[in-house]
Amino acid sequence: MIYWSGKSTDGIWKRSFEADTFLELFNLLMSKEIINDYDYDVYDRAVLEKYGKTEDDEEFKDDDGELDYSQVQAFVDKRQLTDEELWLLIASRNGKAYYQTFERDTEDGRVEIGQNDFENGHYKY
């Protein structure tokens, strides 16, 4: 289980959520409008950046030179972010939740999730 909590800089806004995977947590936080962006799709942009692409690349334009978002979507649908990349993406999206913590259970209680909790991009727990 992944335990996420976030709060604003003034501490007035606070939220906590639990998820089984980082993708589930990402989708939950997006649906609650905590880490979303109204200007672009956060996940799609992250995938494009991972592969050194932008929506302005020629491969995503139609015959008239205009953006064909279905081509962008087809590119994104064939690729995915790792658990570690999702963890970092969530942490970087601090609009509403400037302060964030990610925790997991251990035999001794909860501990903060860190780099050592990932192996080859996959969450070990």
Side-chain angles (χ1 to χ4, degrees), residues 33-87:
E33 298 188 354
I34 294 170
I35 62 169
N36 69 334
D37 192 302
Y38 298 108
D39 294 330
Y40 60 89
D41 185 292
V42 173
Y43 187 89
D44 291 1
R45 175 75 56 92
V47 171
L48 290 174
E49 287 176 2
K50 176 180 178 175
Y51 293 94
K53 305 282 184 185
T54 70
E55 292 178 348
D56 295 328
D57 287 3
E58 288 298 318
E59 68 187 281
F60 302 133
K61 294 185 178 180
D62 62 17
D63 294 336
D64 296 326
E66 298 294 319
L67 172 66
D68 181 352
Y69 202 76
S70 66
Q71 292 182 34
V72 173
Q73 198 59 55
F75 180 89
V76 170
D77 288 346
K78 293 177 188 170
R79 293 152 181 88
Q80 57 187 328
L81 298 177
T82 65
D83 296 326
E84 186 173 15
E85 290 166 335
L86 283 166
W87 171 61

Side-chain angles (χ1 to χ4, degrees), residues 15 24 42 58 76 94 125:
R15 299 289 185 277
E24 180 183 325
V42 173
E58 288 298 318
V76 170
N94 54 14
Y125 303 96

Side-chain angles (χ1 to χ4, degrees), residues 3 9 15 20 29 82 97 99 102 107 122:
Y3 303 95
T9 54
R15 299 289 185 277
D20 292 323
L29 295 174
T82 65
Y99 299 105
F102 300 81
E107 293 175 0
H122 300 286

